[in-house]
Amino acid sequence: MFKKFYKYRFQVACARNSGKTFLFINAFDESILAGRPELRFKPIDVQDGGDSFWKITYSIEKKTFTKLSVNGSA
């Protein structure tokens, strides 16, 4: 992931669940946006995209990361 870090684009969303606050961080290869600039402002949820994405959840209260999802050699 770190070798390609500069090529990723990020989406960050904040949510509350059962009184706890979470950040959802979505990272995907900039090539996903190629020819589709309108996608820059829409949530992107890549389910199976080779090595082009990863996502993780961060708990504000616990200050911990959980639910890392990586596909391929992201």
Side-chain angles (χ1 to χ4, degrees):
M1 289 187 319
F2 293 109
K3 287 181 182 179
K4 290 179 61 176
F5 198 78
Y6 70 95
K7 290 185 176 182
Y8 288 109
R9 296 295 175 250
F10 295 90
Q11 295 178 323
V12 179
C14 183
R16 290 187 60 81
N17 185 8
S18 300
K20 297 180 178 145
T21 306
F22 297 91
L23 291 179
F24 299 99
I25 303 164
N26 187 31
F28 51 90
D29 189 291
E30 63 187 3
S31 66
I32 289 175
L33 300 175
R36 298 177 289 184
E38 72 282 358
L39 292 180
R40 294 182 338 180
F41 304 105
K42 295 182 179 182
I44 295 176
D45 186 24
V46 181
Q47 295 295 319
D48 187 18
D51 65 352
S52 60
F53 84 94
W54 56 272
K55 51 190 162 186
I56 195 165
T57 301
Y58 180 75
S59 168
I60 300 294
E61 287 80 14
K62 293 182 180 180
K63 297 182 173 67
T64 58
F65 289 96
T66 59
K67 299 183 183 178
L68 173 63
S69 176
V70 178
N71 193 25
S73 59

